[in-house]
């Protein structure tokens, strides 16, 4: 395109932006969602996974098999608050659309079915399937409430169940439990994977304030290998839902092992959160590179997340998903029919900085399938001072993906960022402060928060922005997932505006900021 034409288009678009300011502010807010229709209720996520009805917490048993991504989850089918735990079940062929399936695992005489994982026993090590028709095996914690009430310490034990019809029907193993509690109150959330170099299964288990590693030739008999975590990382609460996997270091031929450990309470912004360690694992022992905690996500609402097993080598992706809530207030958030949603699935990688390894996570590329044509794309630089409205009649701020590339080299400012606002001036503010060197998500005046005094807070995360800063935000009814610089920093927060957000603003305080490029997409609903 010739320069003069480019300039006039820029002037036109910029003029529209400025003149749209008053229009958008006076535009009538639409409700965050009418209370009718399938997946149309107020605060119902339109492209995130949530159960049709009732209570959900941790993702469980995430495994890929025969073209399907399985998502099991902690589920209480009789109420919108936590209760006797079952495993709910859903499948997806593309990580974007989900199909609900019947409850997979019900509590039995050994207890409730707490969190755990699933594997495909391709070599039929367990003898529960066959090599031609391998069993899907779920490894979970039995939590026995009677034994807990009676004052026993051994009320959590590990059990297994198997399915030979792609996870549709399940049989509990007759020899359960397969790993008995040695006398420790918190003994749960097994994550199991095949360790090729030693030719055995490895289980990582959360054990009060540390993790235990076990090995097994057949998923039925387990041997203690080692423990990790005493005095390492964050210890503001109990350790839960661990994971251990090998991950490629971007731009190199090497890989590192990454250990995830969820902790509740004790997260960096209060309540539940997930920390990680990088290091080496030889099939017996995990040796960390860092003994201080690093956080998978600095927002308040990404907990108990783990990764999918059995992703094909040809794809070679490490895919993650977490529970988009926080035990600080999960049971009282203002949704009526169901409670909680999962994060959007994310792809993980490692980056190197000063000889240390850091996790990056970004939405899986399949998100592009959800993008609608009505995008707003500005590829010419523009400056922002104060608060500037970005307007488009077709923009649905309650269901969108926003991307802004800031050029900080030529900018002088105190803080910059994005504001989502509704007609009654409730606003979610997400930004970066140059003097504090931190990102923040401020939901203190973003709508309904009186259900818990722990909710309406400002979450912060240390960050040292370079000359270029890329902000990517995914908004869906009641959540905002922020990915900074290709996922080097992530903040996931839920939010309950009284009316839907209709005004998008970019702000810069203390000077002007240059934006090189921006792209905005409406995202489609997956529920019909
Ligand atoms: C984490 C957790 C797990 C437990 C499950 C019970 O959110 O507390 O440790 O297995 O939830 O629902």
């Amino acid at each position: 395109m010739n320069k003069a034409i480019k300039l006039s288009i820029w002037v036109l678009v910029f003029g529209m932006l400025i003149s749209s300011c008053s229009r958008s502010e006076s535009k009538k807010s639409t409700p965050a969602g009418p209370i009718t229709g399938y997946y149309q209720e107020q605060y119902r996520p339109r492209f995130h996974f949530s159960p049709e009805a009732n209570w959900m917490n941790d993702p469980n048993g995430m495994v890929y098999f025969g073209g399907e991504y399985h998502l099991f989850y902690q589920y209480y089918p009789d109420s919108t608050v936590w209760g006797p735990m079952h495993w709910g079940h859903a499948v997806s062929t593309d990580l974007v659309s989900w199909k609900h399936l019947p409850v997979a695992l019900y509590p039995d005489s050994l207890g409730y079915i707490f969190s755990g994982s699933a594997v495909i026993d391709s070599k039929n090590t367990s003898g529960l399937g066959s090599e031609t028709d391998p069993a899907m095996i779920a490894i979970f914690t039995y939590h026995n409430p009677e034994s807990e009430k009676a004052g026993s310490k051994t009320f959590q034990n590990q059990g297994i169940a198997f399915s030979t019809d792609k996870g549709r029907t399940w049989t509990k193993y007759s020899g359960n439990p397969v790993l008995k509690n040695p006398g420790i109150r918190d003994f749960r959330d097994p994550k199991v994977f095949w360790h090729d170099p030693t030719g055995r299964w490895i289980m990582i288990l959360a054990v009060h304030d540390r993790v235990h590693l076990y090995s097994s030739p057949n998923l039925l008999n387990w041997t203690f290998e080692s423990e990790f975590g005493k005095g390492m990382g964050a210890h503001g609460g109990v350790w839960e839902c661990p994971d251990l996997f090998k991950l490629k270091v971007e731009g190199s031929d090497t890989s590192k092992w990454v250990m995830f450990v969820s902790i509740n309470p004790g997260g960096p912004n209060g309540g539940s959160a997930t920390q990680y360690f990088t290091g080496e694992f030889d099939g017996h022992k995990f040796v960390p590179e860092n003994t201080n905690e690093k956080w998978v996500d600095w927002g308040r609402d990404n907990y108990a997340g783990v990764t999918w097993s059995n992703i094909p080598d040809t794809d070679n992706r490490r895919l993650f998903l977490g529970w988009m809530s926080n035990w600080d207030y999960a049971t009282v958030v203002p949704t009526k029919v169901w409670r909680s949603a999962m994060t959007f699935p994310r792809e993980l990688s490692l980056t190197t900085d000063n000889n240390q390894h850091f996790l990056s996570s970004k939405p899986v590329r399949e998100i592009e399938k959800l993008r609608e044509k009505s995008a707003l794309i500005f590829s010419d630089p523009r400056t922002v001072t104060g608060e500037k409205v970005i307007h488009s009649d077709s923009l649905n701020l309650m269901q969108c993906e926003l991307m802004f590339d800031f050029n900080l080299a030529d900018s002088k400012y105190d803080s910059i960022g994005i504001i989502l606002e509704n007609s009654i001036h409730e606003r979610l503010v997400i930004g970066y402060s140059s003097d504090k060197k931190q990102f923040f998500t401020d939901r203190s005046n973003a709508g309904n928060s009186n259900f818990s005094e722990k909710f309406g807070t400002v979450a912060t995360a240390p960050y040292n922005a370079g000359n270029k800063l890329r902000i990517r935000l995914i908004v869906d009814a009641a959540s905002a997932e922020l990915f900074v610089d290709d996922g080097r920093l992530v903040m996931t927060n839920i939010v309950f505006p009284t009316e839907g957000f209709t005004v998008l603003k970019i702000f810069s305080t203390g000077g002007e900021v240059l934006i090189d490029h921006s792209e905005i997409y409406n995202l489609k609903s997956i529920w019909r």
Side-chain angles (χ1 to χ4, degrees):
M1 199 188 294
N2 128 353
K3 258 196 165 167
I5 301 179
K6 227 174 167 184
L7 185 73
S8 43
I9 293 178
W10 188 90
V11 169
L12 195 76
V13 170
F14 203 73
M16 279 163 64
L17 273 181
I18 293 166
S19 71
S20 69
C21 180
S22 52
R23 261 191 294 149
S24 333
E25 297 239 70
S26 60
K27 196 174 152 190
K28 204 174 159 303
S29 266
T30 45
I35 322 268
T36 50
Y38 189 62
Y39 276 74
Q40 299 283 309
E41 304 96 334
Q42 190 182 28
Y43 304 134
R44 176 69 96 169
R46 306 298 206 265
F47 57 89
H48 284 76
F49 181 80
S50 61
E52 280 180 317
N54 296 313
W55 171 268
M56 173 179 83
N57 56 291
D58 317 353
N60 295 151
M62 288 153 61
V63 63
Y64 177 83
F65 188 51
E68 290 177 327
Y69 296 90
H70 290 260
L71 170 62
F72 300 88
Y73 52 90
Q74 288 287 277
Y75 187 48
Y76 184 35
D78 297 328
S79 168
T80 52
V81 293
W82 190 90
M85 283 290 113
H86 300 52
W87 274 26
H89 190 195
V91 287
S92 171
T93 52
D94 61 1
L95 292 165
V96 170
S97 307
W98 293 95
K99 183 174 152 201
H100 293 294
L101 292 176
V103 166
L105 297 174
Y106 286 80
D108 60 46
S109 62
L110 294 178
Y112 302 164
I113 314 295
F114 269 22
S115 286
S117 48
V119 295
I120 303 303
D121 189 9
S122 317
K123 298 181 202 296
N124 196 27
T125 60
S126 63
L128 297 170
S130 67
E131 280 188 46
T132 44
D133 204 1
M136 181 182 289
I137 304 207
I139 308 100
F140 54 85
T141 299
Y142 267 121
H143 172 99
N144 190 315
E146 279 93 44
S147 146
E148 181 186 21
K149 259 180 245 137
S152 160
K153 279 189 178 165
T154 59
F155 55 89
Q156 293 183 338
N157 295 276
Q158 317 320 315
I160 67 174
F162 58 98
S163 163
T164 48
D165 60 357
K166 297 183 176 169
R168 275 22 183 212
T169 58
W170 289 86
T171 308
K172 307 249 181 61
Y173 175 57
S174 56
N176 277 337
V178 292
L179 175 59
K180 282 204 179 128
N181 190 314
I184 308 168
R185 275 188 64 85
D186 298 297
F187 191 72
R188 60 176 177 269
D189 308 339
K191 178 81 193 307
V192 173
F193 61 94
W194 178 256
H195 187 253
D196 220 23
T198 54
R200 299 168 315 165
W201 298 100
I202 299 292
M203 177 196 292
I204 180 167
L205 191 72
V207 181
H208 189 63
D209 61 350
R210 63 198 72 179
V211 295
H212 281 183
L213 293 163
Y214 295 83
S215 65
S216 170
N218 56 9
L219 297 162
L220 311 175
N221 309 104
W222 293 93
T223 308
F224 177 79
E225 292 283 343
S226 60
E227 68 167 43
F228 169 80
K230 189 167 184 271
M232 310 243 184
H235 280 280
V238 70
W239 282 24
E240 299 184 314
C241 300
D243 196 355
L244 182 62
F245 51 89
K246 210 171 170 182
L247 196 57
K248 205 173 145 7
V249 179
E250 267 178 32
S252 86
D253 294 335
T254 56
S255 297
K256 289 280 157 197
W257 283 82
V258 180
M259 184 186 289
F260 279 12
V261 180
S262 281
I263 177 174
N264 178 59
N269 284 294
S272 324
T274 303
Q275 59 183 320
Y276 71 95
F277 302 88
T278 51
E280 298 297 344
F281 176 64
D282 61 0
H284 303 279
K285 202 172 177 318
F286 177 75
V287 180
E289 295 177 318
N290 62 308
T291 52
N292 58 319
E293 69 275 15
K294 299 174 192 166
W295 298 102
V296 171
D297 190 315
W298 285 80
R300 299 210 60 204
D301 299 294
N302 181 358
Y303 191 60
V306 287
T307 60
W308 260 278
S309 68
N310 206 44
I311 296 294
D313 284 348
T314 45
D315 191 5
N316 200 20
R317 292 194 288 176
R318 190 44 73 168
L319 302 170
F320 165 96
L321 170 142
W323 174 45
M324 203 155 55
S325 198
N326 189 314
W327 283 115
D328 267 359
Y329 41 71
T331 56
V332 291
V333 294
T335 57
K336 292 200 176 71
V337 180
W338 83 102
R339 274 222 176 82
S340 304
M342 297 300 184
T343 66
F344 198 79
R346 298 170 186 181
E347 181 175 350
L348 306 179
S349 61
L350 282 178
T351 59
T352 316
D353 193 5
N354 267 336
N355 289 327
Q356 281 210 60
H357 295 103
F358 294 92
L359 190 80
S360 281
S361 37
K362 45 187 168 206
V364 292
R365 56 175 181 257
E366 288 86 345
I367 194 169
E368 291 172 18
K369 284 185 160 191
L370 293 174
R371 289 181 182 164
E372 285 182 339
K373 277 206 209 89
S374 56
L376 252 182
I377 300 179
F378 303 136
S379 41
D380 297 304
R382 65 207 49 230
T383 55
V384 171
T385 321
E387 291 184 6
K388 185 161 283 172
V389 173
I390 303 273
H391 179 70
S392 156
D393 273 336
S394 59
L395 177 59
N396 176 1
L397 266 186
M398 298 308 278
Q399 226 175 303
C400 66
E401 180 181 2
L402 311 163
M403 278 173 275
F404 293 98
D405 287 327
F406 289 90
N407 183 342
L408 302 184
D410 302 321
S411 302
K412 212 184 145 297
Y413 64 95
D414 291 335
S415 62
I416 51 167
I418 298 172
I419 301 171
L420 305 184
E421 200 170 281
N422 62 17
S423 72
I424 51 173
H425 300 292
E426 294 170 344
R427 40 162 54 191
L428 177 68
V429 187
I430 294 171
Y432 174 69
S433 152
S434 70
D435 50 335
K436 292 192 184 140
K437 298 247 170 297
Q438 68 184 19
F439 258 88
F440 58 91
T441 300
D442 182 350
R443 62 180 181 193
S444 61
N445 179 29
N448 195 345
S449 67
N450 56 12
F451 51 88
S452 164
E453 59 184 24
K454 290 185 175 165
F455 186 82
T457 54
V458 183
T460 61
Y463 198 72
N464 203 351
N467 286 342
K468 303 269 182 197
L469 179 71
R470 166 167 271 210
I471 292 185
R472 184 171 179 193
L473 189 68
I474 294 172
V475 184
D476 185 9
S479 64
E481 293 165 277
L482 170 72
F483 301 88
V484 178
D485 291 340
D486 284 328
R488 279 162 201 247
L489 177 83
V490 182
M491 291 182 99
T492 302
N493 288 285
I494 53 175
V495 60
F496 300 99
T498 326
E499 294 175 358
F501 296 127
T502 48
V503 179
L504 169 65
K505 292 174 175 172
I506 302 297
F507 72 89
S508 168
T509 63
E512 66 177 23
V513 72
L514 190 66
I515 299 176
D516 277 343
H517 178 91
S518 61
E519 277 179 49
I520 303 175
Y521 297 96
N522 288 340
L523 299 182
K524 284 182 222 154
S525 303
I526 60 169
W527 305 104
R528 298 186 198 282

